[in-house]
Amino acid sequence: MLFCTEMITFALFFKKNIISKDMVAKIQQLLQEIDGLQAASAEEVEALRIKYLSKKGVVNALMADFRAVPVEQKKEVGMKLNELKTAAQAKINTLKEALAGAGDTTADLDLTRTAYPIGLGTRHPLTIVKNEIVDIFSRLGFILAEGPEVEDDWHVYSSMNFAEDHPARDMQDTFFVEAHPDIILRSHTSSVQSRVMESTQPPIRVICPGRVYRNEAISARAHCFFHQVEGLYIDKDVSFTDLKQVLLLFAQEMFGADTRIRLRPSYFPFTEPSAEMDISCNICGGKGCSFCKHTGWVEILGCGMVDPAVLEANGIDSTVYTGYAFGMGIERITNLKYQVKDLRMFSENDTRFLEEFEAAN
Ligand code: DAH
């Protein structure tokens, strides 16, 4: 009797074992079959879905058989069964997507993708510095003014008190527009002073950035075009002290609170008295280095009180008003801030150079 019971148990075990072995083999075969499935239309995909994944489909039928699998093999067979279900679902989805994408060119566009790493451009270093200069003077009440780059002799030279035979008017310095001896490319932004004065009565307080042209051989230290910023303030009782104080504030905002300035007497046709302004070398802090030629000072701008002859030439009563003006090269200020050694770098459009200013943007 005992023997008999054992026999039955053994037979049952044997039978169950066969069931699970068969199932695994069947699943394996189905996995291969699913892998190779193809469909030419949405209807065919739907037919496949019904065959494998519907209530009466292949996967569900196997689920029913799964109940007969002995407990100790349920884990192994169950995992296989899950693999089959996932594979069937994935295949049906892939077939669906492939059909939906055919003929639709936007199908492989991922609209949720982030815009990065599409590189944004960087501002040009001269623009960065120009903006900074304009910003500092804006805070002091200067408003932006601009004038044309192609100018006439009057605004560039005559109204600015340049003598008829001044060397700056020479062909060597000035670009003339062919066939129009009176039309030139402006050689300084002081022409904008004249443009503003002829159209506005004081008080005038303007800051004028722009490009200027000079007939120079191109080298590391000179270029045939560069950039300047002009400042002009005209009102009653404007004095040289006002000028000095505003320039000190500018220098300290631009180069740091420890910056010192000094004014050296100079000459410009449009200002009287005139001066050139140095700042304490911002590389060595004024101790002396090769950059400042061991003087501790570097020149950054020209300035002075507007010559009464300039006020009169531009329609402003010099018995009532006084004013100051200043002008500086943006390349020069940029070199001081960023130590760009070669002026040509500014106009070569080498993105490796421009990208170095990413952090300053
Ligand atoms: N226009 C001069 C130049 O190009 C710079 C300059 C000097 C401008 C003195 C001024 C000034 O307004 O007062 O070199």
Side-chain angles (χ1 to χ4, degrees), residues 67-341:
R67 276 183 228 122
V69 172
V71 182
E72 23 346 319
Q73 283 158 24
K74 269 205 166 16
K75 191 175 170 201
E76 188 201 341
V77 180
M79 274 164 65
K80 254 331 213 193
L81 204 49
N82 273 339
E83 188 187 330
L84 176 70
K85 195 174 173 185
T86 315
Q89 269 164 351
K91 186 70 190 188
I92 301 286
N93 284 344
T94 314
L95 290 174
K96 256 191 206 159
E97 277 164 22
L99 281 170
D104 178 0
T105 50
T106 60
D108 52 359
L109 275 185
D110 179 0
L111 297 178
T112 63
R113 225 187 96 188
T114 148
Y116 302 106
I118 295 168
L120 293 175
T122 53
R123 280 204 179 83
H124 192 283
L126 293 176
T127 307
I128 296 171
V129 171
K130 179 204 77 180
N131 288 349
E132 210 174 328
I133 298 170
V134 170
D135 201 53
I136 293 168
F137 285 103
S138 301
R139 294 205 293 274
L140 293 167
F142 287 74
I143 60 166
L144 199 72
E146 282 175 317
E149 291 178 19
V150 182
E151 257 295 8
D152 52 29
D153 177 277
W154 169 256
H155 292 96
V156 179
Y157 295 129
S158 297
S159 74
M160 297 307 287
N161 205 33
F162 280 76
E164 222 25 79
D165 57 355
H166 193 283
R169 294 169 176 250
D170 205 294
M171 298 267 288
Q172 250 98 57
D173 284 310
T174 305
F175 284 115
F176 290 83
V177 173
E178 228 175 329
H180 291 280
D182 193 43
I183 307 295
I184 57 179
L185 298 185
R186 69 180 178 194
S187 53
H188 60 175
T189 45
S190 300
S191 55
V192 188
Q193 284 192 33
S194 171
R195 287 264 166 203
V196 172
M197 282 189 256
E198 73 183 6
S199 61
T200 328
Q201 279 299 302
I204 290 172
R205 191 151 43 179
V206 287
I207 188 83
C208 328
R211 179 174 287 176
V212 300
Y213 301 83
R214 284 184 200 173
N215 196 355
E216 302 239 17
I218 297 170
S219 71
R221 311 186 119 255
H223 213 296
C224 60
F225 65 82
F226 52 99
H227 302 79
Q228 293 187 327
V229 176
E230 193 80 12
L232 175 70
Y233 179 30
I234 304 173
D235 205 343
K236 288 174 182 153
D237 303 324
V238 175
S239 73
F240 202 95
T241 316
D242 299 325
L243 170 64
K244 196 176 166 189
Q245 202 55 37
V246 159
L247 293 180
L248 173 65
L249 193 135
F250 164 71
Q252 294 184 337
E253 286 284 302
M254 195 75 201
F255 297 103
D258 297 337
T259 311
R260 286 164 292 128
I261 63 166
R262 75 174 185 189
L263 292 160
R264 286 178 289 100
S266 185
Y267 173 78
F268 300 103
F270 35 90
T271 43
E272 180 59 35
S274 304
E276 276 169 319
M277 187 176 95
D278 300 338
I279 58 164
S280 49
C281 178
N282 71 319
I283 312 267
C284 62
K287 288 189 200 74
C289 65
S290 59
F291 192 83
C292 60
K293 300 194 186 78
H294 302 281
T295 62
W297 297 96
V298 282
E299 187 206 316
I300 63 159
L301 57 80
C303 60
M305 300 305 292
V306 181
D307 194 305
V310 172
L311 293 175
E312 293 297 335
N314 289 288
I316 289 173
D317 189 344
S318 65
T319 62
V320 180
Y321 296 107
T322 51
Y324 65 67
F326 56 85
M328 67 187 98
I330 303 180
E331 278 81 351
R332 175 103 183 121
I333 308 283
T334 310
N335 286 349
L336 275 168
K337 278 211 94 149
Y338 298 112
Q339 281 98 59
V340 180
K341 299 253 154 50

